[in-house]
């Protein structure tokens, strides 16, 4: 089975530009998570969806960030306008259960984002 | 703002040794949840435990035990008689608890501790 697929793997862009990160979860999983990982902050849960519906976006840093899940097999995380402090590795994960269930979350390989 | 600190970046032990992973947290919330997750080399994130801030009882599950001390803002995790299969990255995490007793989704993780258990 294919795992969680994220694209692009790397993104380098100038500040002020719009950035769109994409994720295809594992087929059949009903939860999808977006995380951000930096050296300073470690791993942060940004938002998660259940059956394509955003359940909690309290981890989203500010209005410049938005996430959508138009269907069960696709999600996007958008940053507009991007800033250098957004530079991080962004992970998408999916699972059968929520963040507090005993079902493991399967992570994608991440998108390494650099904002110049 | 909340913060979770796992001071041990990497720990290496030999099988059957006991090992303790430290976790110290900061939060202004009076009620909150604490968690431990395991991320084995295969990459998935596995939930291990959730603890309410108002329940300071220590917990044991097989070879795993957790020591929660609110006075020192610590939630340490001990593996007894470690095994090679315990090799993984372990994350401690924190989320606020609202008045209704359900957690927000705002999970804050520590930097993670890489545990390597050698045969």
């Amino acid at each position: 089975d294919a795992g969680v697929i994220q694209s692009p793997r790397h993104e380098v862009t100038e500040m002020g530009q719009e950035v769109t990160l994409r994720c295809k979860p594992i087929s059949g999983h009903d939860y999808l998570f977006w995380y951000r990982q930096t050296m300073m902050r470690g791993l942060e849960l940004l938002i998660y969806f259940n059956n394509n519906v955003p359940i909690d976006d309290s981890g989203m840093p500010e209005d410049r960030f938005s996430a959508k899940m138009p269907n069960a097999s696709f999600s996007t995380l958008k940053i507009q306008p991007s800033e250098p402090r957004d530079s991080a590795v962004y992970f998408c994960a999916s699972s059968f259960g929520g963040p507090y269930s005993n079902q493991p979350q399967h992570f994608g390989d991440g998108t390494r984002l650099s904002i110049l | 703002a909340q913060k979770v600190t796992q001071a041990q970046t990497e720990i290496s032990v030999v099988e059957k040794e006991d090992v303790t992973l430290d976790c110290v947290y900061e939060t202004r919330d009076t009620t909150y949840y604490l968690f431990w997750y395991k991320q084995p080399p295969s990459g998935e994130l596995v939930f291990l435990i959730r603890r309410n801030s108002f329940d300071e009882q220590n917990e044991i599950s097989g070879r795993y035990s957790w020591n929660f001390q609110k006075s020192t803002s610590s939630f340490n995790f001990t593996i007894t008689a470690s095994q090679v299969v315990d090799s993984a990255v372990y994350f401690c995490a924190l989320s606020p608890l609202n008045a209704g007793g359900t957690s927000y989704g705002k999970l804050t993780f520590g930097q993670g501790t890489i545990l390597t258990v050698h045969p």
Side-chain angles (χ1 to χ4, degrees):
Chain A
D1 278 344
V4 175
I5 299 172
Q6 291 185 245
S7 64
R9 291 293 305 276
H10 304 272
E11 174 90 15
V12 181
T13 192
E14 293 185 348
M15 67 177 290
Q17 298 296 309
E18 178 179 291
V19 173
T20 300
L21 311 181
R22 297 173 177 78
C23 175
K24 177 178 167 54
I26 292 173
S27 177
H29 281 183
D30 57 350
Y31 279 84
L32 183 139
F33 307 82
W34 281 102
Y35 289 89
R36 176 173 69 176
Q37 188 166 33
T38 62
M39 288 298 294
M40 290 295 294
R41 290 198 171 107
L43 188 65
E44 299 173 277
L45 175 63
L46 301 178
I47 184 172
Y48 69 95
F49 296 82
N50 177 218
N51 292 324
N52 314 338
V53 176
I55 300 301
D56 197 313
D57 65 354
S58 56
M60 295 284 261
E62 49 198 275
D63 292 345
R64 297 184 297 107
F65 285 70
S66 62
K68 293 182 180 177
M69 193 165 184
N71 57 62
S73 59
F74 184 65
S75 177
T76 58
L77 178 67
K78 190 171 291 189
I79 308 172
Q80 167 62 19
S82 58
E83 296 181 4
R85 60 193 168 116
D86 301 330
S87 298
V89 181
Y90 290 82
F91 289 100
C92 176
S94 70
S95 74
F96 281 118
Y100 316 121
S101 79
N102 59 4
Q103 296 296 318
Q105 296 178 34
H106 297 262
F107 275 55
D109 290 335
T111 295
R112 186 172 295 276
L113 178 64
S114 297
I115 309 297
L116 306 177
Chain B
Q2 50 190 35
K3 183 179 178 182
V4 177
T5 302
Q6 294 177 252
Q8 304 147 308
T9 307
E10 290 190 55
I11 300 176
S12 184
V13 299
V14 177
E15 227 177 359
K16 297 184 184 175
E17 281 185 34
D18 298 346
V19 57
T20 296
L21 283 61
D22 297 334
C23 174
V24 174
Y25 61 92
E26 296 172 31
T27 180
R28 291 183 184 153
D29 296 297
T30 53
T31 54
Y32 45 88
Y33 276 131
L34 292 162
F35 306 82
W36 275 95
Y37 286 87
K38 174 182 179 180
Q39 190 172 43
S42 47
E44 68 270 23
L45 195 68
V46 180
F47 166 87
L48 295 178
I49 189 172
R50 179 178 70 178
R51 171 65 58 182
N52 292 327
S53 56
F54 43 84
D55 180 5
E56 287 193 67
Q57 260 194 329
N58 290 332
E59 181 153 341
I60 298 175
S61 175
R63 294 184 299 106
Y64 294 171
S65 62
W66 290 270
N67 181 266
F68 175 32
Q69 296 207 355
K70 211 166 179 178
S71 59
T72 55
S73 299
S74 66
F75 186 43
N76 296 338
F77 172 32
T78 297
I79 303 174
T80 303
S82 60
Q83 300 175 1
V84 172
V85 293
D86 296 327
S87 297
V89 183
Y90 290 86
F91 290 97
C92 180
L94 168 72
S95 79
L97 243 181
N98 62 17
T102 59
S103 71
Y104 295 118
K106 185 171 172 48
L107 266 178
T108 299
F109 289 78
Q111 300 280 14
T113 296
I114 301 171
L115 174 65
T116 304
V117 182
H118 299 280

